[in-house]
Amino acid sequence: DAGVIQSPRHEVTEMGQEVTLRCKPISGHDYLFWYRQTMMRGLELLIYFNNNVPIDDSGMPEDRFSAKMPNASFSTLKIQPSEPRDSAVYFCASSFGAGPYEQYFGPGTRLTVT
Amino acid sequence: QQPVQSPQAVILREGEDAVINCSSSKALYSVHWYRQKHGEAPVFLMILLKGGEQKGHEKISASFNEKKQQSSLYLTASQLSYSGTYFCGTEANAGGTSYGKLTFGQGTILTVHP
């Protein structure tokens, strides 16, 4: 089975540009999580969905960040406008059921904002 | 609030043992352990639930002290493949309901030498 798929794997953009990160969860998984990883702040949960509905977006840093899940097999994380401090690795993870179930992480998108 | 991991780094020779600790100031529902190799995604190792239930790989052992809100990961007879950064992710006890909302520690870097 294919794991969690993320695209692009690397993104380099200039400050002020819009960035869209994409994620395809494992088929059948009903929870999807977006994380951000930096050296300074570690691995942070940004938002998560259950059955395509956002459950908790308290980790989204600013209004510049938005996430959608239009269907069970696709989610996007958008940053507009992007800033240099948004540079990080963004991971998408999915799980079948919440809580005591393992989360499967995608390979991540390394975002660099210059 | 982020759980605290100790030690920050460990250096071992093959065959040696190590213990990684994770401590939270919040009442916990579960503790998750993940390992991340450089440039890769975190990979699930184990989940420990309040009440004593555990789910994870057979070769990994861990404990969860519910009273102290502490968990320890035991790595015995270490192999070169154990090298990586180990993260604990904690889920706060929200009235017995679990949603998979994890807060990760800062990580423990484990290096195993031949």
Side-chain angles (χ1 to χ4, degrees), chain A residues 19-95:
Chain A
V19 175
T20 299
L21 311 181
R22 298 172 176 80
C23 175
K24 177 179 170 55
I26 293 172
S27 177
H29 282 192
D30 56 349
Y31 277 81
L32 184 138
F33 306 83
W34 280 101
Y35 291 92
R36 177 173 68 175
Q37 186 174 38
T38 62
M39 288 295 293
M40 290 296 295
R41 300 177 67 89
L43 191 59
E44 306 173 276
L45 176 64
L46 300 177
I47 184 172
Y48 68 98
F49 297 81
N50 174 223
N51 290 324
N52 315 335
V53 177
I55 302 300
D56 189 330
D57 65 353
S58 58
M60 297 285 262
E62 299 172 34
D63 291 344
R64 297 184 297 106
F65 287 70
S66 62
K68 295 181 179 180
M69 192 166 185
N71 57 62
S73 59
F74 185 66
S75 178
T76 60
L77 179 67
K78 184 179 293 186
I79 308 172
Q80 181 183 15
S82 58
E83 297 182 3
R85 58 190 167 132
D86 301 331
S87 297
V89 179
Y90 291 81
F91 288 104
C92 173
S94 69
S95 71

Side-chain angles (χ1 to χ4, degrees), chain B residues 15-87:
Chain B
E16 293 182 337
D17 302 337
V19 180
I20 300 173
N21 301 300
C22 175
S23 180
S24 175
S25 60
K26 293 184 175 181
L28 299 177
Y29 181 86
S30 65
V31 179
H32 301 222
W33 286 95
Y34 286 79
R35 178 174 60 212
Q36 184 179 29
K37 293 185 179 289
H38 183 69
E40 299 181 6
V43 174
F44 168 78
L45 296 176
M46 176 164 283
I47 294 172
L48 302 104
L49 306 175
K50 57 177 296 186
E53 185 178 356
Q54 297 186 1
K55 303 179 184 181
H57 299 289
E58 294 178 359
K59 294 187 178 181
I60 300 291
S61 65
S63 64
F64 178 24
N65 186 323
E66 296 175 37
K67 289 183 179 180
K68 293 185 176 181
Q69 308 307 325
Q70 294 175 347
S71 178
S72 295
L73 183 70
Y74 304 98
L75 302 170
T76 58
S78 60
Q79 305 172 16
L80 295 177
S81 61
Y82 286 13
S83 293
T85 301
Y86 289 76
F87 293 95

Side-chain angles (χ1 to χ4, degrees), chain A residues 2-25:
Chain A
V4 175
I5 299 173
Q6 291 187 245
S7 64
R9 294 293 307 277
H10 302 272
E11 178 80 34
V12 180
T13 190
E14 293 183 348
M15 182 174 63
Q17 297 297 307
E18 176 181 304
V19 175
T20 299
L21 311 181
R22 298 172 176 80
C23 175
K24 177 179 170 55

